[in-house]
């Protein structure tokens, strides 16, 4: 086993594309312990992996080892296809259980990956949302509520346990090999857009998010940090840079079609997500730049083209 | 044979009319150039070039697009120079760097904002891009929201204004808001109450305020009142009753003569978080100045249309 035993970090959701990148970024400096329901394919030998449901009792045993430095919680279920009820229960019970373990074993650090989407795209939004803005995403898009509640749970944990340094990261749209809604959207050959709407967007390369997570694991950092990548870009320009063909559809028609297509399982985009290509939802990441020392390394071109990697 | 002669004749025609068409084309181009020089000013391209460095190299975070703005100004210039024949007074009062234009709002549709923006682009030296603060409601409208973003309008929130002023932009705000633009004809040139947000912002960011009086816009549409039931039914902020809309061509505003008076910049100091009453006094000063500019302008005006 490489790395000092006093320097271990638990990463949940380690088998996702982002989780694997995080594991790779950390495992040379510290012992990485992965927890996921899936198998870790192509796992580096020095990474310890536990195939576990995050709600199960045996998760506690993983926390029992001495010298744990941090928990990085990435194991948030985002699958829009599973039933919203199961989704909601899984995500919230998992985080509750993990926080109990952190409290019991007095871990010095918790890093939770939330999302800039918890603010919600709204016509009333300021162009750049600060960390203290209200989390209003669930108002128009009820299935995002588990993400909002996860963020809230992390916030309340932050206040209840001053001995543990809690970090909540809220990145804007993460692009890369990850299979999330914005990357999948930009991977379409003909990209539907909303006729007459062209909001400004922020995107961030998944490797920049990994860097931010690495920085957040360092001691003496705590709080909520928005993360943005290169300067914002209009949706139309992003599609032009990627060489995609936009297909403008009136909003009412798009909503009608996407609702039905989602029900018939033709698309994996829930209809309320259309608001993300209608209204602005951008974050001000100056706090992360100052306190975390975060600096995105990938340019706009590199970030956008990462969806085709 | 037949065909060859036919072709020969055709080529004769082409030879004769070709230069003629060419001359016609040249003539038409000259007229168009003269006309666009008259409307846009001969230095329009230089003005655009002056703004290139600032707005093209770095993407504006609010989505301002110089190409769209250029076309919009070129279109708006027809109204500015030919239709409303705007006369501009005191535009040299607008200081360099950050500034806040505070104007009276009128005319049912925000042509006044477009004309002020056009005037800052075409008449001011150096040319400026005016960032008008628009109602949040406009962000929900297809095309309108897209167009507003691209020509530099931003949703009127203090966070947005603060960011723009820190970037040394020129902001335009109408503190009367919707109440101002939709006022009926009988209340023309009487100012509604001013909001206080702009004053707190100006103090906080140490921004000079330039009072602006727009004369002529208040008569462009004669509104007899607000049909609040129709506004409620259509989910609009206001629904003015404008009889001229029912006449053919009455949808266009009346060709009144616009006169824009820019006052001297006013600077305010103190605590931006001060009591309502303290801020209200400062707001009152600005409102009085706009009111005074309006009164003077109206006194000097001989006719609404000339």
């Amino acid at each position: 086993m490489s790395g000092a035993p006093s320097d271990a970090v638990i990463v949940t959701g380690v088998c996702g594309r982002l989780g694997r990148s995080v594991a790779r970024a950390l495992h040379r400096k510290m012992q990485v312990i992965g927890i996921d329901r899936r198998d870790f394919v192509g796992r580096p030998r020095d990474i310890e992996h536990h195939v576990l449901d995050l709600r199960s009792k045996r998760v506690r045993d993983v926390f029992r080892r001495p010298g744990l430095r941090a928990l990085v919680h990435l194991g948030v279920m985002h699958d829009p296809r599973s039933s919203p009820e199961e989704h909601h229960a899984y995500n919230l019970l998992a985080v509750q259980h993990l926080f109990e373990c952190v409290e019991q074993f007095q871990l010095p650090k918790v890093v939770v990956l939330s999302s800039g989407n918890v603010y919600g795209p709204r016509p009333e939004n300021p162009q750049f949302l600060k960390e203290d803005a209200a989390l209003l995403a669930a108002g128009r898009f009820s299935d995002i509520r588990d993400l909002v509640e996860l963020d809230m749970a992390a916030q309340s944990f932050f206040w209840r346990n001053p001995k543990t340094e809690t970090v909540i990261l809220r990145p804007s749209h993460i692009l890369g090999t990850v299979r999330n809604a914005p990357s999948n959207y930009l991977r379409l050959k003909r990209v539907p857009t909303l006729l007459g709407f062209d909001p400004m967007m922020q995107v961030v390369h998944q490797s920049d998010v990994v860097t931010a997570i690495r920085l957040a694991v360092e001691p003496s950092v705590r709080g909520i940090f928005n993360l943005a990548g290169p300067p914002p870009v209009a949706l139309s320009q992003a599609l032009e840079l990627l060489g995609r063909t936009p297909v403008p559809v009136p909003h009412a028609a798009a909503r009608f079609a996407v609702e039905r297509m989602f029900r018939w399982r033709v698309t994996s985009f829930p209809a309320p997500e259309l608001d993300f290509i209608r209204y602005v939802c951008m974050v001000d990441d100056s706090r992360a730049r100052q306190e975390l020392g975060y600096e995105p390394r990938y340019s706009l071109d590199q970030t956008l083209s990462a969806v085709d990697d | 044979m037949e065909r060859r002669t036919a072709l020969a004749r055709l080529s004769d025609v082409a030879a004769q009319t070709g230069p003629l068409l060419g001359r016609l084309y040249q003539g038409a181009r000259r007229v168009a150039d003269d006309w666009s020089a008259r409307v846009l000013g001969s230095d329009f391209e230089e003005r655009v070039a002056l703004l290139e460095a600032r707005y093209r190299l770095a993407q504006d975070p609010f989505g301002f697009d110089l190409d769209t703005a250029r076309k919009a100004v070129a279109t708006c210039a027809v109204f500015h120079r030919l239709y409303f024949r705007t006369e501009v007074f005191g535009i040299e009062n607008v200081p360099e760097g950050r500034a806040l234009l505070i104007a009276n709002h009128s005319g049912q549709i925000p042509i006044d904002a477009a004309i002020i923006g056009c005037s800052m682009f075409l008449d001011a030296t150096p040319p400026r891009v005016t960032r008008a603060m628009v109602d949040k409601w406009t962000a929900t409208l297809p095309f309108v929201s897209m167009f507003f973003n691209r020509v530099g309008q931003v949703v009127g929130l203090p966070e947005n204004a603060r960011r723009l002023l820190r970037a040394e932009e020129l902001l335009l705000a109408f503190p009367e808001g919707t109440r101002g633009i939709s006022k009926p004809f009988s209340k023309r040139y009487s100012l509604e109450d001013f909001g206080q947000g702009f004053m707190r912002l100006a103090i906080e960011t140490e921004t000079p305020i330039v009072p602006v009086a727009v004369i002529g816009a208040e008569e462009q549409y004669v509104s007899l009142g607000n049909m609040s039931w129709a506004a409620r039914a259509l989910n609009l902020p206001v629904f003015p009753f404008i009889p001229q809309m029912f006449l053919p061509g009455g949808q266009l505003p009346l060709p009144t003569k616009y006169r824009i008076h820019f006052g001297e910049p006013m600077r305010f100091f103190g605590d931006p978080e001060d009591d309502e009453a303290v801020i209200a006094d400062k707001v009152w000063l600005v409102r009085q100045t706009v009111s005074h500019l309006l009164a003077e302008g109206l006194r000097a005006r001989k006719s609404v249309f000339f």
Side-chain angles (χ1 to χ4, degrees):
Chain A
M1 235 182 246
S2 76
S6 65
D7 217 18
V9 53
I10 297 180
V11 181
T12 65
V14 75
C15 299
R17 281 160 212 268
L18 193 68
R20 288 197 301 244
S21 310
V22 170
R24 269 190 216 107
L26 295 177
H27 79 108
R28 300 224 184 273
K29 287 179 223 81
M30 53 195 90
Q31 169 67 42
V32 173
I33 303 160
I35 307 181
D36 202 308
R37 291 201 280 193
R38 298 162 284 189
D39 270 328
F40 198 146
V41 184
R43 166 169 66 96
R45 263 209 223 126
D46 55 354
I47 293 180
E48 190 182 317
H49 183 56
H50 301 270
V51 180
L52 285 175
D53 189 307
L54 288 178
R55 294 166 297 184
S56 82
K57 290 244 164 56
R58 297 210 319 258
V59 167
R60 194 176 296 270
D61 298 335
V62 182
F63 279 81
R64 227 176 268 286
R65 87 202 290 292
L68 275 181
R69 166 174 167 175
L71 163 71
V72 177
H73 180 44
L74 307 175
V76 182
M77 188 158 76
H78 284 296
D79 179 16
R81 277 278 154 241
S82 65
S83 90
E85 207 181 330
E86 188 200 343
H87 215 254
H88 188 247
Y90 176 82
N91 282 336
L92 293 178
L93 291 176
V95 79
Q96 190 191 18
H97 188 202
L98 288 171
F99 282 156
E100 274 166 22
C101 298
V102 170
E103 206 174 344
Q104 186 183 344
F105 297 99
Q106 293 285 312
L107 253 65
K109 165 86 70 181
V110 178
V111 180
V112 177
L113 185 68
S114 176
S115 164
N117 295 345
V118 292
Y119 300 113
R122 298 166 70 242
E124 302 91 341
N125 274 350
Q127 202 75 358
F128 295 96
L129 294 148
K130 289 217 162 80
E131 284 86 353
D132 54 6
L135 312 185
L136 296 169
R140 283 162 166 273
F141 181 17
S142 58
D143 285 351
I144 208 172
R145 70 185 182 278
D146 47 342
L147 205 55
V148 174
E149 285 172 28
L150 175 86
D151 192 294
M152 299 276 198
Q155 285 182 52
S156 80
F157 183 80
F158 173 91
W159 291 112
R160 271 189 289 118
N161 297 280
K163 280 188 198 142
T164 301
E165 289 169 351
T166 308
V167 178
I168 303 170
L169 298 175
R170 292 185 188 149
S172 51
H173 298 311
I174 304 176
L175 298 187
T177 55
V178 289
R179 294 289 185 264
N180 58 3
S183 298
N184 290 342
Y185 174 72
L186 291 176
R187 267 186 215 111
L188 300 171
K189 279 280 162 291
R190 288 165 193 283
V191 187
T193 58
L194 296 177
L195 187 66
F197 289 98
D198 187 20
M200 297 298 285
M201 298 257 162
Q202 273 173 332
V203 290
V204 58
H205 194 283
Q206 66 182 33
S207 303
D208 280 330
V209 178
V210 171
T211 310
I213 292 172
R214 193 168 50 75
L215 291 167
V217 170
E218 296 299 322
S220 86
V221 188
R222 61 166 77 207
I224 308 173
F225 298 96
N226 289 334
L227 300 174
V233 61
L235 175 61
S236 59
Q237 284 170 306
L239 295 178
E240 203 180 306
L241 284 170
L242 265 174
R244 302 287 197 265
T245 321
V247 183
V249 185
H251 176 254
R255 200 177 164 98
F256 182 85
V258 173
E259 262 169 19
R260 270 144 197 84
M261 282 161 73
F262 186 75
R263 208 177 304 144
W264 299 332
R265 306 195 161 239
V266 181
T267 175
S268 62
F269 296 100
E273 271 184 1
L274 287 172
D275 277 350
F276 284 99
I277 54 170
R278 192 176 184 211
Y279 300 132
V280 64
C281 180
M282 298 204 294
V283 296
D284 179 338
D285 68 346
S286 45
R287 186 154 185 263
R289 285 167 192 259
Q290 281 156 21
E291 291 181 29
L292 207 58
Y294 164 76
E295 190 71 51
R297 281 180 301 128
Y298 289 83
S299 70
L300 184 63
D301 276 322
Q302 289 170 322
T303 308
L304 287 169
S305 50
V307 297
D308 292 328
D309 287 349
Chain B
M1 281 313 270
E2 275 296 298
R3 188 174 289 169
R4 191 171 293 161
T5 50
L7 277 176
R9 274 180 205 147
L10 257 181
S11 71
D12 279 356
V13 171
Q16 281 164 8
T17 55
L20 186 71
L21 279 175
R23 261 200 306 272
L24 263 177
Y25 172 71
Q26 292 292 336
R29 244 192 102 156
R30 211 171 314 123
V31 171
D33 280 352
D34 285 355
W35 198 70
S36 77
R38 198 180 133 208
V39 173
L40 292 172
S42 50
D43 57 346
F44 181 61
E45 293 306 325
E46 287 145 50
R47 286 176 173 273
V48 175
L50 275 174
L51 295 168
E52 297 252 318
R54 175 165 189 159
Y55 293 104
R56 207 185 298 277
L57 298 181
Q59 163 74 54
D60 176 74
F62 291 84
F64 175 75
D65 176 49
L66 193 55
D67 292 321
T68 314
R70 187 171 166 249
K71 286 179 204 147
V73 168
T75 313
C76 185
V78 176
F79 285 88
H80 178 52
R81 292 270 157 81
L82 300 177
Y83 196 85
F84 295 121
R85 298 144 289 133
T86 315
E87 261 186 278
V88 180
F89 305 93
I91 200 162
E92 64 285 349
N93 283 331
V94 180
E96 277 179 44
R98 66 179 75 168
L100 191 50
L101 303 178
I102 296 296
N104 58 316
H105 209 7
S106 58
Q108 313 307 328
I109 54 172
I111 301 177
D112 46 359
I115 298 291
I116 292 174
C118 205
S119 172
M120 289 309 301
F121 201 104
L122 295 174
D123 305 326
T125 328
R128 295 290 298 267
V129 170
T130 312
R131 318 297 299 261
M133 311 304 288
V134 299
D135 196 278
K136 293 166 221 172
W137 170 71
T138 60
T140 63
L141 306 172
F143 299 107
V144 174
S145 66
M146 184 165 85
F147 176 72
F148 275 11
N149 273 350
R150 290 188 185 168
V151 297
Q153 323 287 76
V154 292
V155 171
L157 292 165
E159 294 93 331
N160 289 348
R162 208 171 284 135
R163 191 172 282 271
L164 286 166
L165 288 173
R166 296 233 161 92
E168 306 297 334
E169 295 274 357
L170 175 67
L171 257 61
L172 166 63
F174 299 100
E176 291 174 273
T178 330
R179 282 166 290 136
I181 193 167
S182 60
K183 68 187 116 168
F185 194 66
S186 56
K187 286 201 186 153
R188 61 191 184 279
Y189 300 113
S190 67
L191 293 173
E192 294 285 325
D193 280 343
F194 274 23
Q196 294 199 340
F198 79 91
M199 181 55 72
R200 293 184 192 272
L201 203 71
I203 297 172
E204 187 194 322
T205 55
E206 293 173 358
T207 305
I209 290 176
V210 180
V212 181
V214 182
I215 294 172
E218 312 239 2
E219 289 99 352
Q220 69 189 12
Y221 286 111
V222 178
S223 160
L224 298 184
N226 177 30
M227 296 193 285
S228 49
W229 55 270
R232 262 199 309 277
L234 295 168
N235 206 9
L236 298 171
V238 282
F239 195 95
F241 177 63
I242 306 169
Q244 75 192 67
M245 288 280 179
F246 301 106
L247 299 172
Q251 293 77 21
L252 271 177
L254 299 174
T256 54
K257 189 173 173 69
Y258 265 53
R259 292 170 174 86
I260 305 177
H261 298 263
F262 291 88
E264 279 174 26
M266 306 166 81
R267 281 164 218 274
F268 294 90
F269 305 95
D271 178 9
E273 302 296 323
D274 221 330
D275 286 352
E276 293 268 304
V278 180
I279 300 290
D281 283 351
K282 293 175 175 161
V283 171
W284 183 83
L285 269 175
V286 177
R287 187 169 175 269
Q288 278 314 100
T289 314
V290 174
S291 181
H292 183 70
L293 282 172
L294 278 173
E296 282 208 332
L298 285 171
R299 205 176 306 133
R301 176 171 84 160
K302 295 279 181 291
S303 151
V304 175
F305 293 101
F306 298 102

